[in-house]
Amino acid sequence: MATTKAQAPPVTSRRWAALFFIGLAQIMIVLDATVVNIALPSLQGDLGISDGDRQWIITAYTLAFGSLLLLGGRIADYTGRKRTFLIALFGFAGASALGGAAGNFEMLLIARVLQGGFGALLGPSALSLLTVMFTQPKDRAKAFGIWGAISAAGGAIGLLAGGALTEYLDWRWCLYVNIPIALIAAIGGYALLAESRHAGKARFDIPGVLLVTGGLVALVYATSQAESAGWDSAKVIGLLTAGAALLAAFAFVESRVPQPLLPLRVIANRTRGGAYLAVGLAVIGMFGAFLFMTYYMQVVKGYSPIKTGAAFLPMTAAVLLSAGGLTTRLLPKLAPRALIVPGMLISSFGMLWMVTLETGTAYARGVLVAQLLLGFGAGMIMPAALNYATHGVDPGDSGVASAGVNTAQQIGGSIGIALLNTIAAGTTADYLDSHGRSPAIAKRAVVEGFGTASAWAAGIILVGALIVAVLMNTPRPNHQAVAENTETAKTAESIESAEAVETAEPVLAHP
């Protein structure tokens, strides 16, 4: 019987060129989570969207994205990571074109759901391609340093782009801008990427898909409703309870089915579990800062959209300096928690600094300091956490491991923003009730709300840092660990090669 031998991706400079195009896709995903934020007032007025419905322009994207990521990871693993990457890019571009051309709220909502769905395919396939392309410790550290910088800075870039596009063109270009990015990434990806997939026939855990999707949707929807209905309302409590029950049932089902959507071994590992936790909590600070600073600068300080976007540039610079300069060099030399825990502490202090903001606080003494701290901390957290979120995972599980860290980022950000916004809105309302409602007091009330919510965010990140310090006991990389990982990789390759012989399908094949 003829045998089919597994082939690894080519170890050439083509990988670094391919990384550029994969990075474009990641920029588009992260950018789309924030680029619409600054455009919301213009968008709302143009389409006649009510104040109660405007939140769904953001939530529709995050719900679809976060709840379908695990399925997207499995689809990438079994049907081909390159194929999934290219299909998702074209789908995302089409959904963006539909949203940009939307003439009413319903069409825009459908477009945002489709963007989230295709993003759930794109995110895991992009990160898993990166995982299988870069396996040597030094190259892997450099690649994930670049990836972490893109992931951490993309949100701030989105705010800048959203401000410029809204002010100088039209809010619709906040969606149209995705089309050229997706097409360039698709052309480059088609030319440079090698196909890789899990051996065997694609089998999808449908009960797992329904349970995890239902559970995550219930949790995110509950937190999005808490601001208007209250955390103690029957609706919110019922949704939270249902979400928790569905996720518990999901964990039970995953421990029983032969081909689970999320193998529990992926998240039970202390290193990967700590990485997922770090990413989920880090984005609470980053996304919370984007939300609060945007409204602080536009509503309290009176900045224009483009000035607000430009004011976020120092945060981007801090992320790039930290991730690309410091973390990339230290990642191969230090244990992951030696980077992640200090990064979380710095981010926590950045959120705490926002408590000092007043209505008259100068930019350089207030927002700028908080941005630099948050950016520098995120630049330490994201490359290390993204690296170790897929570190040592079985090659056949790289897609679902990538989906896990993307899910942690998306759901952590969604729940975090809903929680912090509820705290801020409640504090603002209480302040207005006790102090009056003059324009000056209204601005002061907004600042009070943001300060209280920022203090909560700082506390959440601080507790997370303590948990990661205890949980993530992974030692620093060394020659012995590299040898062990190489032997493990050889064993895994042998196993997958054997599976490929049985199925007469190659595990990894060049285009």
Side-chain angles (χ1 to χ4, degrees):
M1 181 178 66
T3 61
T4 306
K5 187 176 180 179
Q7 297 176 329
V11 185
T12 67
S13 59
R14 284 166 58 96
R15 295 178 308 161
W16 297 103
L19 174 60
F20 171 78
F21 294 105
I22 296 174
L24 279 181
Q26 179 68 1
I27 285 176
M28 185 176 67
I29 293 173
V30 180
L31 180 149
D32 226 67
T34 57
V35 70
V36 177
N37 288 28
I38 292 181
L40 270 177
S42 300
L43 179 160
Q44 182 181 356
D46 193 14
L47 297 183
I49 301 172
S50 69
D51 289 344
D53 286 338
R54 66 184 177 188
Q55 64 165 323
W56 288 105
I57 304 303
I58 304 298
T59 307
Y61 178 80
T62 58
L63 275 173
F65 197 129
S67 60
L68 295 174
L69 270 168
L70 290 171
L71 176 60
R74 267 307 183 218
I75 291 174
D77 279 336
Y78 280 97
T79 64
R81 298 175 182 108
K82 176 181 176 179
R83 178 186 300 174
T84 304
F85 179 76
L86 297 176
I87 291 173
L89 281 171
F90 285 114
F92 202 98
S96 299
L98 178 65
N104 53 56
F105 171 64
E106 291 75 17
M107 183 181 293
L108 182 58
L109 196 66
I110 292 171
R112 292 292 281 171
V113 170
L114 289 173
Q115 277 187 313
F118 283 111
L121 285 176
L122 186 58
S125 61
L127 186 54
S128 59
L129 281 167
L130 189 70
T131 300
V132 299
M133 282 196 306
F134 296 94
T135 56
Q136 296 302 313
K138 280 191 175 181
D139 286 348
R140 185 180 176 92
K142 185 177 180 181
F144 274 90
I146 295 170
W147 187 264
I150 290 171
S151 299
I157 294 172
L159 291 170
L160 176 61
L165 292 170
T166 301
E167 188 157 331
Y168 296 121
L169 293 174
D170 186 81
W171 66 265
R172 297 178 184 277
W173 281 96
C174 292
L175 295 163
Y176 287 145
V177 71
N178 293 319
I179 300 173
I181 297 175
L183 292 179
I184 292 170
I187 292 170
Y190 178 79
L192 295 172
L193 290 172
E195 183 61 284
S196 65
R197 62 176 177 79
H198 193 285
K201 185 180 179 181
R203 297 174 185 172
F204 300 114
D205 173 20
I206 301 303
V209 172
L210 296 176
L211 288 170
V212 73
T213 301
L216 291 175
V217 167
L219 289 179
V220 176
Y221 184 64
T223 52
S224 71
Q225 293 295 299
E227 182 182 355
S228 57
W231 287 102
D232 58 349
S233 68
K235 180 179 183 180
V236 172
I237 292 174
L239 285 167
L240 291 174
T241 302
L246 288 170
L247 292 179
F250 169 71
F252 177 79
V253 168
E254 297 308 278
S255 67
R256 297 292 188 273
V257 296
Q259 290 192 336
L261 179 67
L262 176 62
L264 297 183
R265 63 181 177 273
V266 172
I267 58 174
N269 178 276
R270 293 179 66 167
T271 298
R272 290 192 290 272
Y276 295 162
L277 178 65
V279 169
L281 293 180
V283 297
I284 291 178
M286 292 296 290
F287 280 37
F290 292 150
L291 177 66
F292 297 156
M293 289 181 185
T294 297
Y295 277 90
Y296 175 78
M297 287 187 280
Q298 289 198 47
V299 175
V300 178
K301 306 297 286 185
Y303 289 9
S304 67
I306 186 63
K307 186 176 180 180
T308 301
F312 277 100
L313 286 178
M315 180 185 286
T316 305
V319 171
L320 295 175
L321 176 64
S322 176
L326 176 68
T327 306
T328 300
R329 290 185 174 90
L330 295 179
L331 192 54
K333 303 174 183 178
L334 297 178
R337 65 180 171 186
L339 290 168
I340 293 174
V341 172
M344 295 182 76
L345 294 175
I346 294 171
S347 293
S348 177
F349 191 67
M351 291 304 298
L352 198 60
W353 189 267
M354 292 185 65
V355 179
T356 68
L357 295 181
E358 302 286 347
T359 55
T361 302
Y363 171 79
R365 190 172 64 84
V367 170
L368 178 61
V369 176
Q371 282 189 16
L372 293 176
L373 290 169
L374 284 163
F376 197 85
M380 295 178 68
I381 297 166
M382 299 304 285
L386 289 172
N387 187 357
Y388 282 90
T390 56
H391 184 72
V393 72
D394 183 274
D397 290 330
S398 63
V400 74
S402 303
V405 68
N406 276 282
T407 299
Q409 182 174 352
Q410 197 67 31
I411 299 300
S414 300
I415 294 176
I417 286 178
L419 172 63
L420 297 179
N421 193 55
T422 298
I423 294 171
T427 303
T428 297
D430 291 343
Y431 191 91
L432 290 172
D433 289 341
S434 59
H435 292 80
R437 297 180 178 271
S438 69
I441 291 176
K443 288 185 177 182
R444 176 61 187 163
V446 169
V447 174
E448 282 289 318
F450 292 165
T452 301
S454 296
W456 273 87
I460 292 170
I461 298 171
L462 178 60
V463 171
L466 296 176
I467 296 173
V468 171
V470 174
L471 179 66
M472 203 173 190
N473 61 345
T474 314
R476 67 181 180 84
N478 53 46
H479 294 296
Q480 180 181 358
V482 171
E484 291 173 355
N485 288 339
T486 302
E487 187 62 34
T488 300
K490 289 180 179 178
T491 302
E493 184 179 352
S494 299
I495 293 172
E496 288 207 40
S497 296
E499 292 175 350
V501 170
E502 293 175 5
T503 58
E505 294 180 273
V507 180
L508 298 168
H510 299 296

